[in-house]
Amino acid sequence: MSLDIRNLHKNFAGQVALDRINLRIEASEFVCLLGPSGCGKTTLLRCIAGLLAPDRGEIRLAGRDLAAVPARERGFGIVFQSYSLFPHMTVAENIGYGLRIRGAESSRIAARVRELLDTVKLASYAERYPGQLSGGQQQRVAIARALAVDPQLLLLDEPLSALDARVRDELRGELRDVQRSLGIPTLMVTHDQDEAMVLADRIVCMNRGLIEQVGPPEELYARPRTRFVADFMGHGNLLSVDWLQDAAPWLLDTRPAGISDAGAVCLRPEHVGLQCDALGEGQVTDFTFMGNFKRVQLDWKGRNLLAEVPARTRFERGDRVRVDIDARDCAWVEA
């Protein structure tokens, strides 16, 4: 069952929130809407959910136009950043709430709740109340509640952003495992690049109400098409055409047709080769220990360059280095 979004527009008080959004989400696919605050990703999710009406455009589920379908009848499961659990209900009652208001039989509710408690690893927490749970456990309950009604689409609005780093990492893996096992098409809003790259089959990178690029995480990281995507999808060096003409002219030979003089080469720091060399044209200006690697700042041919090297590599500030760049590791981006 696929979701099709066609030419979607949304304005707020004359300000464009969504501009010509076209997107298709396939059955069983996990898609992340990624971008900075204010880029339109939550507005898009709320339009899909039926919580906002777009000004123009279509949203179709398996070919069915959802324009006249209210949110409660769309059959979607929604999980927000705030868990929104009922504090006076037990975990089991919270998970079964959607089935209960739909008139499901008690035996079916009980069986489904047991199944989902096992799925989210909370089998022994059925009789506890939300106030007795950690933040990560509460979010597991919220996810289970959204799954209880067998949604046609799962919508997640930054569901892990309020959790600490260790719990967030743990829940990422669990969320992906649950989504894969159930095969529910899922759309998740996040501003966290690492989160999107871990979870998504495809990332939709948004900026100022527009989709900048759509593709698998590896593609957006290694082959960004615009400066915005190159800059937003992790650390990188953007090398302008003017600078390349003097400093690295061999890279200009790889410039694709259609890339103007305003374009640039995106070079990820792990692809900057460094070797100590007293006659090298680069000089280490600073470095940061990052655990399994070091992030190195250097001055090379009149500009700052960022490199990443194994943690055991020894550099001192002021060391001269030879810099090696392979054109195959570079991606050309337009302005």
PDB file of all heavy atoms in Angstrom, residues 110-146:
ATOM      1  N   ALA A 110      -6.902  -8.009  24.741  1.00  0.00           N
ATOM      2  CA  ALA A 110      -5.919  -8.600  25.650  1.00  0.00           C
ATOM      3  C   ALA A 110      -4.804  -9.306  24.883  1.00  0.00           C
ATOM      4  O   ALA A 110      -3.616  -9.178  25.220  1.00  0.00           O
ATOM      5  CB  ALA A 110      -6.605  -9.563  26.607  1.00  0.00           C
ATOM      6  N   ALA A 111      -5.181 -10.036  23.829  1.00  0.00           N
ATOM      7  CA  ALA A 111      -4.181 -10.754  23.041  1.00  0.00           C
ATOM      8  C   ALA A 111      -3.255  -9.786  22.304  1.00  0.00           C
ATOM      9  O   ALA A 111      -2.031  -9.987  22.258  1.00  0.00           O
ATOM     10  CB  ALA A 111      -4.885 -11.682  22.048  1.00  0.00           C
ATOM     11  N   ARG A 112      -3.847  -8.737  21.750  1.00  0.00           N
ATOM     12  CA  ARG A 112      -3.046  -7.759  21.002  1.00  0.00           C
ATOM     13  C   ARG A 112      -2.103  -7.003  21.942  1.00  0.00           C
ATOM     14  O   ARG A 112      -0.941  -6.755  21.606  1.00  0.00           O
ATOM     15  CB  ARG A 112      -3.983  -6.779  20.289  1.00  0.00           C
ATOM     16  CG  ARG A 112      -3.278  -5.745  19.405  1.00  0.00           C
ATOM     17  CD  ARG A 112      -2.543  -6.387  18.275  1.00  0.00           C
ATOM     18  NE  ARG A 112      -2.073  -5.399  17.318  1.00  0.00           N
ATOM     19  CZ  ARG A 112      -0.988  -5.549  16.576  1.00  0.00           C
ATOM     20  NH1 ARG A 112      -0.261  -6.651  16.686  1.00  0.00           N
ATOM     21  NH2 ARG A 112      -0.615  -4.617  15.730  1.00  0.00           N
ATOM     22  N   VAL A 113      -2.583  -6.658  23.124  1.00  0.00           N
ATOM     23  CA  VAL A 113      -1.745  -5.960  24.100  1.00  0.00           C
ATOM     24  C   VAL A 113      -0.572  -6.839  24.520  1.00  0.00           C
ATOM     25  O   VAL A 113       0.574  -6.373  24.595  1.00  0.00           O
ATOM     26  CB  VAL A 113      -2.582  -5.522  25.319  1.00  0.00           C
ATOM     27  CG1 VAL A 113      -1.675  -5.077  26.463  1.00  0.00           C
ATOM     28  CG2 VAL A 113      -3.547  -4.410  24.937  1.00  0.00           C
ATOM     29  N   ARG A 114      -0.834  -8.118  24.783  1.00  0.00           N
ATOM     30  CA  ARG A 114       0.252  -9.030  25.150  1.00  0.00           C
ATOM     31  C   ARG A 114       1.298  -9.122  24.037  1.00  0.00           C
ATOM     32  O   ARG A 114       2.506  -9.097  24.298  1.00  0.00           O
ATOM     33  CB  ARG A 114      -0.299 -10.420  25.464  1.00  0.00           C
ATOM     34  CG  ARG A 114      -0.975 -10.547  26.818  1.00  0.00           C
ATOM     35  CD  ARG A 114      -1.159 -12.003  27.197  1.00  0.00           C
ATOM     36  NE  ARG A 114      -1.966 -12.719  26.229  1.00  0.00           N
ATOM     37  CZ  ARG A 114      -3.298 -12.816  26.263  1.00  0.00           C
ATOM     38  NH1 ARG A 114      -3.967 -12.204  27.243  1.00  0.00           N
ATOM     39  NH2 ARG A 114      -3.960 -13.494  25.355  1.00  0.00           N
ATOM     40  N   GLU A 115       0.814  -9.219  22.826  1.00  0.00           N
ATOM     41  CA  GLU A 115       1.712  -9.328  21.674  1.00  0.00           C
ATOM     42  C   GLU A 115       2.610  -8.088  21.558  1.00  0.00           C
ATOM     43  O   GLU A 115       3.829  -8.198  21.365  1.00  0.00           O
ATOM     44  CB  GLU A 115       0.877  -9.493  20.404  1.00  0.00           C
ATOM     45  CG  GLU A 115       1.692  -9.516  19.116  1.00  0.00           C
ATOM     46  CD  GLU A 115       0.803  -9.484  17.884  1.00  0.00           C
ATOM     47  OE1 GLU A 115      -0.441  -9.602  18.021  1.00  0.00           O
ATOM     48  OE2 GLU A 115       1.354  -9.318  16.778  1.00  0.00           O
ATOM     49  N   LEU A 116       2.004  -6.915  21.718  1.00  0.00           N
ATOM     50  CA  LEU A 116       2.773  -5.683  21.564  1.00  0.00           C
ATOM     51  C   LEU A 116       3.696  -5.424  22.747  1.00  0.00           C
ATOM     52  O   LEU A 116       4.787  -4.867  22.574  1.00  0.00           O
ATOM     53  CB  LEU A 116       1.826  -4.500  21.357  1.00  0.00           C
ATOM     54  CG  LEU A 116       1.171  -4.480  19.970  1.00  0.00           C
ATOM     55  CD1 LEU A 116       0.025  -3.486  19.920  1.00  0.00           C
ATOM     56  CD2 LEU A 116       2.207  -4.142  18.898  1.00  0.00           C
ATOM     57  N   LEU A 117       3.290  -5.830  23.930  1.00  0.00           N
ATOM     58  CA  LEU A 117       4.192  -5.715  25.078  1.00  0.00           C
ATOM     59  C   LEU A 117       5.453  -6.541  24.858  1.00  0.00           C
ATOM     60  O   LEU A 117       6.559  -6.118  25.216  1.00  0.00           O
ATOM     61  CB  LEU A 117       3.474  -6.148  26.361  1.00  0.00           C
ATOM     62  CG  LEU A 117       2.485  -5.144  26.948  1.00  0.00           C
ATOM     63  CD1 LEU A 117       1.657  -5.790  28.046  1.00  0.00           C
ATOM     64  CD2 LEU A 117       3.231  -3.929  27.495  1.00  0.00           C
ATOM     65  N   ASP A 118       5.290  -7.721  24.281  1.00  0.00           N
ATOM     66  CA  ASP A 118       6.458  -8.528  23.935  1.00  0.00           C
ATOM     67  C   ASP A 118       7.297  -7.828  22.857  1.00  0.00           C
ATOM     68  O   ASP A 118       8.527  -7.803  22.941  1.00  0.00           O
ATOM     69  CB  ASP A 118       6.031  -9.909  23.424  1.00  0.00           C
ATOM     70  CG  ASP A 118       5.567 -10.831  24.543  1.00  0.00           C
ATOM     71  OD1 ASP A 118       5.978 -10.599  25.702  1.00  0.00           O
ATOM     72  OD2 ASP A 118       4.789 -11.760  24.265  1.00  0.00           O
ATOM     73  N   THR A 119       6.620  -7.254  21.867  1.00  0.00           N
ATOM     74  CA  THR A 119       7.307  -6.603  20.759  1.00  0.00           C
ATOM     75  C   THR A 119       8.176  -5.457  21.229  1.00  0.00           C
ATOM     76  O   THR A 119       9.309  -5.276  20.766  1.00  0.00           O
ATOM     77  CB  THR A 119       6.291  -6.088  19.717  1.00  0.00           C
ATOM     78  OG1 THR A 119       5.551  -7.205  19.197  1.00  0.00           O
ATOM     79  CG2 THR A 119       6.989  -5.377  18.569  1.00  0.00           C
ATOM     80  N   VAL A 120       7.663  -4.649  22.173  1.00  0.00           N
ATOM     81  CA  VAL A 120       8.414  -3.476  22.643  1.00  0.00           C
ATOM     82  C   VAL A 120       9.182  -3.761  23.945  1.00  0.00           C
ATOM     83  O   VAL A 120       9.672  -2.850  24.597  1.00  0.00           O
ATOM     84  CB  VAL A 120       7.490  -2.248  22.834  1.00  0.00           C
ATOM     85  CG1 VAL A 120       6.862  -1.855  21.511  1.00  0.00           C
ATOM     86  CG2 VAL A 120       6.419  -2.509  23.891  1.00  0.00           C
ATOM     87  N   LYS A 121       9.275  -5.049  24.298  1.00  0.00           N
ATOM     88  CA  LYS A 121      10.091  -5.505  25.434  1.00  0.00           C
ATOM     89  C   LYS A 121       9.627  -4.915  26.771  1.00  0.00           C
ATOM     90  O   LYS A 121      10.431  -4.459  27.581  1.00  0.00           O
ATOM     91  CB  LYS A 121      11.568  -5.166  25.182  1.00  0.00           C
ATOM     92  CG  LYS A 121      12.119  -5.804  23.912  1.00  0.00           C
ATOM     93  CD  LYS A 121      13.577  -5.462  23.694  1.00  0.00           C
ATOM     94  CE  LYS A 121      14.083  -6.094  22.396  1.00  0.00           C
ATOM     95  NZ  LYS A 121      15.497  -5.766  22.124  1.00  0.00           N
ATOM     96  N   LEU A 122       8.315  -4.932  26.975  1.00  0.00           N
ATOM     97  CA  LEU A 122       7.750  -4.437  28.232  1.00  0.00           C
ATOM     98  C   LEU A 122       6.745  -5.438  28.809  1.00  0.00           C
ATOM     99  O   LEU A 122       5.770  -5.057  29.463  1.00  0.00           O
ATOM    100  CB  LEU A 122       7.055  -3.082  28.009  1.00  0.00           C
ATOM    101  CG  LEU A 122       7.957  -1.887  27.711  1.00  0.00           C
ATOM    102  CD1 LEU A 122       7.111  -0.657  27.404  1.00  0.00           C
ATOM    103  CD2 LEU A 122       8.900  -1.593  28.881  1.00  0.00           C
ATOM    104  N   ALA A 123       6.973  -6.721  28.577  1.00  0.00           N
ATOM    105  CA  ALA A 123       5.998  -7.738  28.966  1.00  0.00           C
ATOM    106  C   ALA A 123       5.672  -7.710  30.453  1.00  0.00           C
ATOM    107  O   ALA A 123       4.539  -8.014  30.858  1.00  0.00           O
ATOM    108  CB  ALA A 123       6.511  -9.129  28.569  1.00  0.00           C
ATOM    109  N   SER A 124       6.616  -7.312  31.288  1.00  0.00           N
ATOM    110  CA  SER A 124       6.386  -7.336  32.741  1.00  0.00           C
ATOM    111  C   SER A 124       5.878  -5.993  33.285  1.00  0.00           C
ATOM    112  O   SER A 124       5.783  -5.812  34.493  1.00  0.00           O
ATOM    113  CB  SER A 124       7.680  -7.727  33.463  1.00  0.00           C
ATOM    114  OG  SER A 124       8.702  -6.778  33.208  1.00  0.00           O
ATOM    115  N   TYR A 125       5.539  -5.060  32.377  1.00  0.00           N
ATOM    116  CA  TYR A 125       5.152  -3.716  32.809  1.00  0.00           C
ATOM    117  C   TYR A 125       3.669  -3.424  32.589  1.00  0.00           C
ATOM    118  O   TYR A 125       3.243  -2.285  32.725  1.00  0.00           O
ATOM    119  CB  TYR A 125       5.981  -2.669  32.062  1.00  0.00           C
ATOM    120  CG  TYR A 125       7.437  -2.643  32.450  1.00  0.00           C
ATOM    121  CD1 TYR A 125       8.323  -3.620  31.979  1.00  0.00           C
ATOM    122  CD2 TYR A 125       7.947  -1.654  33.280  1.00  0.00           C
ATOM    123  CE1 TYR A 125       9.660  -3.604  32.328  1.00  0.00           C
ATOM    124  CE2 TYR A 125       9.283  -1.621  33.632  1.00  0.00           C
ATOM    125  CZ  TYR A 125      10.131  -2.599  33.158  1.00  0.00           C
ATOM    126  OH  TYR A 125      11.462  -2.584  33.501  1.00  0.00           O
ATOM    127  N   ALA A 126       2.879  -4.429  32.287  1.00  0.00           N
ATOM    128  CA  ALA A 126       1.490  -4.215  31.885  1.00  0.00           C
ATOM    129  C   ALA A 126       0.673  -3.445  32.914  1.00  0.00           C
ATOM    130  O   ALA A 126      -0.178  -2.617  32.556  1.00  0.00           O
ATOM    131  CB  ALA A 126       0.817  -5.556  31.584  1.00  0.00           C
ATOM    132  N   GLU A 127       0.904  -3.682  34.184  1.00  0.00           N
ATOM    133  CA  GLU A 127       0.075  -3.074  35.237  1.00  0.00           C
ATOM    134  C   GLU A 127       0.688  -1.805  35.832  1.00  0.00           C
ATOM    135  O   GLU A 127       0.133  -1.238  36.775  1.00  0.00           O
ATOM    136  CB  GLU A 127      -0.182  -4.104  36.338  1.00  0.00           C
ATOM    137  CG  GLU A 127      -0.925  -5.348  35.854  1.00  0.00           C
ATOM    138  CD  GLU A 127      -2.212  -4.997  35.101  1.00  0.00           C
ATOM    139  OE1 GLU A 127      -2.970  -4.133  35.598  1.00  0.00           O
ATOM    140  OE2 GLU A 127      -2.436  -5.565  34.022  1.00  0.00           O
ATOM    141  N   ARG A 128       1.780  -1.361  35.300  1.00  0.00           N
ATOM    142  CA  ARG A 128       2.364  -0.111  35.796  1.00  0.00           C
ATOM    143  C   ARG A 128       1.671   1.096  35.148  1.00  0.00           C
ATOM    144  O   ARG A 128       1.038   0.973  34.097  1.00  0.00           O
ATOM    145  CB  ARG A 128       3.860  -0.064  35.506  1.00  0.00           C
ATOM    146  CG  ARG A 128       4.646  -1.120  36.274  1.00  0.00           C
ATOM    147  CD  ARG A 128       6.124  -0.793  36.271  1.00  0.00           C
ATOM    148  NE  ARG A 128       6.904  -1.870  36.866  1.00  0.00           N
ATOM    149  CZ  ARG A 128       8.215  -1.827  37.051  1.00  0.00           C
ATOM    150  NH1 ARG A 128       8.880  -0.737  36.702  1.00  0.00           N
ATOM    151  NH2 ARG A 128       8.857  -2.844  37.604  1.00  0.00           N
ATOM    152  N   TYR A 129       1.856   2.236  35.769  1.00  0.00           N
ATOM    153  CA  TYR A 129       1.313   3.480  35.240  1.00  0.00           C
ATOM    154  C   TYR A 129       2.437   4.287  34.598  1.00  0.00           C
ATOM    155  O   TYR A 129       3.621   4.102  34.933  1.00  0.00           O
ATOM    156  CB  TYR A 129       0.632   4.281  36.359  1.00  0.00           C
ATOM    157  CG  TYR A 129      -0.652   3.651  36.822  1.00  0.00           C
ATOM    158  CD1 TYR A 129      -0.648   2.694  37.840  1.00  0.00           C
ATOM    159  CD2 TYR A 129      -1.870   3.996  36.227  1.00  0.00           C
ATOM    160  CE1 TYR A 129      -1.832   2.094  38.267  1.00  0.00           C
ATOM    161  CE2 TYR A 129      -3.053   3.402  36.645  1.00  0.00           C
ATOM    162  CZ  TYR A 129      -3.032   2.457  37.656  1.00  0.00           C
ATOM    163  OH  TYR A 129      -4.211   1.861  38.063  1.00  0.00           O
ATOM    164  N   PRO A 130       2.103   5.196  33.648  1.00  0.00           N
ATOM    165  CA  PRO A 130       3.149   5.962  32.963  1.00  0.00           C
ATOM    166  C   PRO A 130       4.127   6.659  33.905  1.00  0.00           C
ATOM    167  O   PRO A 130       5.330   6.728  33.616  1.00  0.00           O
ATOM    168  CB  PRO A 130       2.343   6.980  32.141  1.00  0.00           C
ATOM    169  CG  PRO A 130       1.068   6.266  31.848  1.00  0.00           C
ATOM    170  CD  PRO A 130       0.769   5.463  33.081  1.00  0.00           C
ATOM    171  N   GLY A 131       3.633   7.163  35.038  1.00  0.00           N
ATOM    172  CA  GLY A 131       4.509   7.850  35.980  1.00  0.00           C
ATOM    173  C   GLY A 131       5.547   6.947  36.618  1.00  0.00           C
ATOM    174  O   GLY A 131       6.495   7.444  37.239  1.00  0.00           O
ATOM    175  N   GLN A 132       5.387   5.635  36.470  1.00  0.00           N
ATOM    176  CA  GLN A 132       6.335   4.681  37.034  1.00  0.00           C
ATOM    177  C   GLN A 132       7.355   4.203  36.003  1.00  0.00           C
ATOM    178  O   GLN A 132       8.145   3.306  36.284  1.00  0.00           O
ATOM    179  CB  GLN A 132       5.577   3.469  37.597  1.00  0.00           C
ATOM    180  CG  GLN A 132       4.623   3.830  38.735  1.00  0.00           C
ATOM    181  CD  GLN A 132       3.738   2.647  39.130  1.00  0.00           C
ATOM    182  OE1 GLN A 132       3.098   2.011  38.291  1.00  0.00           O
ATOM    183  NE2 GLN A 132       3.747   2.351  40.429  1.00  0.00           N
ATOM    184  N   LEU A 133       7.324   4.811  34.823  1.00  0.00           N
ATOM    185  CA  LEU A 133       8.204   4.391  33.726  1.00  0.00           C
ATOM    186  C   LEU A 133       9.245   5.462  33.418  1.00  0.00           C
ATOM    187  O   LEU A 133       9.018   6.649  33.646  1.00  0.00           O
ATOM    188  CB  LEU A 133       7.386   4.126  32.454  1.00  0.00           C
ATOM    189  CG  LEU A 133       6.227   3.146  32.547  1.00  0.00           C
ATOM    190  CD1 LEU A 133       5.525   3.063  31.196  1.00  0.00           C
ATOM    191  CD2 LEU A 133       6.709   1.767  32.979  1.00  0.00           C
ATOM    192  N   SER A 134      10.360   5.035  32.853  1.00  0.00           N
ATOM    193  CA  SER A 134      11.359   5.975  32.345  1.00  0.00           C
ATOM    194  C   SER A 134      10.856   6.581  31.036  1.00  0.00           C
ATOM    195  O   SER A 134       9.869   6.106  30.444  1.00  0.00           O
ATOM    196  CB  SER A 134      12.687   5.255  32.095  1.00  0.00           C
ATOM    197  OG  SER A 134      12.550   4.346  31.007  1.00  0.00           O
ATOM    198  N   GLY A 135      11.562   7.603  30.558  1.00  0.00           N
ATOM    199  CA  GLY A 135      11.175   8.218  29.291  1.00  0.00           C
ATOM    200  C   GLY A 135      11.208   7.240  28.131  1.00  0.00           C
ATOM    201  O   GLY A 135      10.305   7.216  27.289  1.00  0.00           O
ATOM    202  N   GLY A 136      12.244   6.413  28.076  1.00  0.00           N
ATOM    203  CA  GLY A 136      12.332   5.427  27.001  1.00  0.00           C
ATOM    204  C   GLY A 136      11.221   4.405  27.064  1.00  0.00           C
ATOM    205  O   GLY A 136      10.671   3.991  26.030  1.00  0.00           O
ATOM    206  N   GLN A 137      10.854   3.982  28.274  1.00  0.00           N
ATOM    207  CA  GLN A 137       9.750   3.023  28.423  1.00  0.00           C
ATOM    208  C   GLN A 137       8.421   3.666  28.023  1.00  0.00           C
ATOM    209  O   GLN A 137       7.585   3.022  27.387  1.00  0.00           O
ATOM    210  CB  GLN A 137       9.706   2.531  29.861  1.00  0.00           C
ATOM    211  CG  GLN A 137      10.871   1.631  30.226  1.00  0.00           C
ATOM    212  CD  GLN A 137      11.004   1.419  31.717  1.00  0.00           C
ATOM    213  OE1 GLN A 137      10.458   2.172  32.537  1.00  0.00           O
ATOM    214  NE2 GLN A 137      11.746   0.380  32.113  1.00  0.00           N
ATOM    215  N   GLN A 138       8.204   4.916  28.385  1.00  0.00           N
ATOM    216  CA  GLN A 138       6.985   5.604  27.986  1.00  0.00           C
ATOM    217  C   GLN A 138       6.894   5.698  26.463  1.00  0.00           C
ATOM    218  O   GLN A 138       5.802   5.529  25.892  1.00  0.00           O
ATOM    219  CB  GLN A 138       6.941   7.006  28.598  1.00  0.00           C
ATOM    220  CG  GLN A 138       6.709   7.003  30.105  1.00  0.00           C
ATOM    221  CD  GLN A 138       6.588   8.412  30.648  1.00  0.00           C
ATOM    222  OE1 GLN A 138       5.850   9.238  30.125  1.00  0.00           O
ATOM    223  NE2 GLN A 138       7.334   8.701  31.708  1.00  0.00           N
ATOM    224  N   GLN A 139       8.010   5.964  25.813  1.00  0.00           N
ATOM    225  CA  GLN A 139       7.958   6.063  24.359  1.00  0.00           C
ATOM    226  C   GLN A 139       7.685   4.705  23.727  1.00  0.00           C
ATOM    227  O   GLN A 139       6.993   4.618  22.704  1.00  0.00           O
ATOM    228  CB  GLN A 139       9.259   6.661  23.831  1.00  0.00           C
ATOM    229  CG  GLN A 139       9.201   7.118  22.382  1.00  0.00           C
ATOM    230  CD  GLN A 139       8.131   8.155  22.123  1.00  0.00           C
ATOM    231  OE1 GLN A 139       6.936   7.849  22.123  1.00  0.00           O
ATOM    232  NE2 GLN A 139       8.537   9.388  21.895  1.00  0.00           N
ATOM    233  N   ARG A 140       8.172   3.631  24.323  1.00  0.00           N
ATOM    234  CA  ARG A 140       7.831   2.295  23.829  1.00  0.00           C
ATOM    235  C   ARG A 140       6.326   2.052  23.919  1.00  0.00           C
ATOM    236  O   ARG A 140       5.719   1.472  23.023  1.00  0.00           O
ATOM    237  CB  ARG A 140       8.577   1.226  24.650  1.00  0.00           C
ATOM    238  CG  ARG A 140      10.053   1.101  24.353  1.00  0.00           C
ATOM    239  CD  ARG A 140      10.616  -0.087  25.127  1.00  0.00           C
ATOM    240  NE  ARG A 140      12.002  -0.340  24.817  1.00  0.00           N
ATOM    241  CZ  ARG A 140      13.021   0.116  25.513  1.00  0.00           C
ATOM    242  NH1 ARG A 140      12.800   0.866  26.585  1.00  0.00           N
ATOM    243  NH2 ARG A 140      14.264  -0.165  25.179  1.00  0.00           N
ATOM    244  N   VAL A 141       5.724   2.489  25.021  1.00  0.00           N
ATOM    245  CA  VAL A 141       4.271   2.337  25.183  1.00  0.00           C
ATOM    246  C   VAL A 141       3.540   3.143  24.120  1.00  0.00           C
ATOM    247  O   VAL A 141       2.563   2.676  23.521  1.00  0.00           O
ATOM    248  CB  VAL A 141       3.833   2.767  26.596  1.00  0.00           C
ATOM    249  CG1 VAL A 141       2.302   2.705  26.725  1.00  0.00           C
ATOM    250  CG2 VAL A 141       4.475   1.877  27.652  1.00  0.00           C
ATOM    251  N   ALA A 142       4.006   4.366  23.858  1.00  0.00           N
ATOM    252  CA  ALA A 142       3.363   5.201  22.845  1.00  0.00           C
ATOM    253  C   ALA A 142       3.439   4.552  21.464  1.00  0.00           C
ATOM    254  O   ALA A 142       2.477   4.591  20.687  1.00  0.00           O
ATOM    255  CB  ALA A 142       4.016   6.587  22.823  1.00  0.00           C
ATOM    256  N   ILE A 143       4.577   3.944  21.153  1.00  0.00           N
ATOM    257  CA  ILE A 143       4.722   3.255  19.867  1.00  0.00           C
ATOM    258  C   ILE A 143       3.796   2.046  19.808  1.00  0.00           C
ATOM    259  O   ILE A 143       3.128   1.802  18.799  1.00  0.00           O
ATOM    260  CB  ILE A 143       6.191   2.851  19.652  1.00  0.00           C
ATOM    261  CG1 ILE A 143       7.055   4.108  19.450  1.00  0.00           C
ATOM    262  CG2 ILE A 143       6.326   1.908  18.457  1.00  0.00           C
ATOM    263  CD1 ILE A 143       8.547   3.851  19.532  1.00  0.00           C
ATOM    264  N   ALA A 144       3.744   1.267  20.897  1.00  0.00           N
ATOM    265  CA  ALA A 144       2.857   0.103  20.937  1.00  0.00           C
ATOM    266  C   ALA A 144       1.399   0.525  20.777  1.00  0.00           C
ATOM    267  O   ALA A 144       0.618  -0.150  20.091  1.00  0.00           O
ATOM    268  CB  ALA A 144       3.053  -0.658  22.241  1.00  0.00           C
ATOM    269  N   ARG A 145       1.001   1.619  21.408  1.00  0.00           N
ATOM    270  CA  ARG A 145      -0.377   2.100  21.285  1.00  0.00           C
ATOM    271  C   ARG A 145      -0.702   2.465  19.834  1.00  0.00           C
ATOM    272  O   ARG A 145      -1.786   2.168  19.334  1.00  0.00           O
ATOM    273  CB  ARG A 145      -0.598   3.311  22.193  1.00  0.00           C
ATOM    274  CG  ARG A 145      -2.028   3.821  22.190  1.00  0.00           C
ATOM    275  CD  ARG A 145      -2.240   4.944  23.181  1.00  0.00           C
ATOM    276  NE  ARG A 145      -1.413   6.115  22.861  1.00  0.00           N
ATOM    277  CZ  ARG A 145      -1.373   7.211  23.611  1.00  0.00           C
ATOM    278  NH1 ARG A 145      -2.083   7.280  24.735  1.00  0.00           N
ATOM    279  NH2 ARG A 145      -0.619   8.225  23.261  1.00  0.00           N
ATOM    280  N   ALA A 146       0.254   3.099  19.146  1.00  0.00           N
ATOM    281  CA  ALA A 146       0.029   3.453  17.750  1.00  0.00           C
ATOM    282  C   ALA A 146      -0.072   2.220  16.860  1.00  0.00           C
ATOM    283  O   ALA A 146      -0.809   2.205  15.871  1.00  0.00           O
ATOM    284  CB  ALA A 146       1.166   4.355  17.264  1.00  0.00           C
TER     285      ALA A 146
END
